[in-house]
Each structure stands twice: as structure tokens, then as C-alpha cells.
Amino acid sequence: MRSGKEEAVREVLLENYERYYRLAFSYVHQEADAMDIVQEGACRAMLRADMLRDEEFAGTWVYRIMINEAKEYLRKRRRESGEIEENRMAAEEHYRDPDLHEAIDRLPEQEKTLIILRYFEDRQLAEIAEILQENLSTIKSRLYRTLGKLKEELSVSA
């Protein structure tokens, strides 16, 4: 029989599978890799459901797992290949502005995650702070600083 935590995690995974896929895809830009990340993250979430402190926060807890899984995938890939390979055609299908996409990819992981959650996943700042386990004012200032960086980089490349 499943515990309440396991059931909460299972429901969150089922309800948000598409979101997790989009999140993973925004990191790796390849369908198969994104699906692998989501499957691995879902497996990890189910196996560790007992570590969830409060069932009410299952959604942000699973988001954090998916982000960490995507970052770990990229780290492994860098070690294996020495550099990240991109499938630009697939990325251009999902992003309207390839220059913006490239600028976001060049951001440090922390800033990239913030942009993805806010603008591609349409998460509120308070929810992002909870997912990343950081202070709301830190998230706000980092977001505005990152947006400034992106704006400056895009105006230079234009």
C-alpha cells in the first residue's frame, strides 16, 4: 500500500509530466534525452518519496528533482564528450528566437534555470524561490540582473 507521500508524488508526476518534459527539453534540446531525464527524475522522486517533508510541497519538490536531474545529465555529457553538442534545428523549432536561445544557453546554470522557470515554465517568483530554496528577494535581484545581461548580449549581437 502506498503512503500519502508516495501518492502525492505520483499525482504530481502524472499531472505535470508535460511540464517536466518541456523543462528537460529546455536544457538538452533533444526529445530522447529530455524523456530520459524525466523518466529518471520520476523514478528518483518515487523512490525517495519518503524524504518529502510535507505532501503539500510535492510539486516544488519534484520540480527541484527534475532540475537537478537535467543539470546532472549535462554534467555527465560534458565529461563524456568534452563539450555540449546542440541540435540547433530541434531548438529552433521550439524557440522563436535562436539568438535568445543561444544567449540563454550561455548563461551559468543558476541563471539559466531561473529564466527557464520564469519565462518558459511561467512560474511565479515565489514559487521559483521555493523550488530553488532561496530567498524571494535573492530570486528577484538575480532575475533582473540576468535579464540585464541577456538584454546587453542581445543588443551587442544585433
Side-chain angles (χ1 to χ4, degrees), residues 19-140:
R19 279 188 157 184
Y20 299 139
Y21 171 78
R22 285 192 316 269
L23 175 71
F25 189 88
S26 68
Y27 277 92
V28 295
H29 312 300
Q30 294 186 21
E31 289 181 31
D33 294 341
M35 286 195 275
D36 287 346
I37 289 168
V38 174
Q39 288 174 352
E40 189 65 33
C43 182
R44 181 164 285 147
M46 288 303 296
L47 290 173
R48 295 183 178 173
D50 61 323
M51 296 176 74
L52 176 62
R53 290 186 193 143
D54 186 343
E55 293 171 28
E56 181 181 341
F57 299 109
T60 55
W61 185 76
V62 172
Y63 241 97
R64 210 168 28 253
I65 289 172
M66 293 297 175
I67 289 168
N68 290 336
E69 198 63 40
K71 288 178 180 180
E72 181 59 27
Y73 179 86
L74 290 175
R75 278 190 286 276
K76 283 180 187 176
R77 200 160 136 196
R78 279 188 196 118
R79 282 193 301 264
E80 290 170 4
S81 69
E83 64 183 42
I84 301 275
E85 298 175 40
E86 290 188 37
N87 184 339
R88 294 197 188 278
M89 292 188 61
E92 288 175 9
E93 287 177 22
H94 293 282
Y95 297 101
R96 290 192 174 136
D97 188 343
D99 292 335
L100 176 61
H101 165 71
E102 289 174 14
I104 290 170
D105 276 350
R106 285 192 295 268
L107 290 172
E109 280 185 16
Q110 193 176 44
E111 293 173 349
K112 180 178 178 178
T113 298
L114 185 57
I115 294 296
I116 289 168
L117 288 174
R118 180 67 184 109
Y119 296 103
F120 294 96
E121 291 298 314
D122 200 30
R123 296 295 181 164
Q124 297 298 315
L125 293 177
E127 189 176 9
I128 294 169
E130 192 176 312
I131 290 169
L132 300 179
Q133 295 181 319
E134 294 195 28
N135 187 308
L136 179 59
S137 60
T138 302
I139 294 298
K140 286 179 182 177

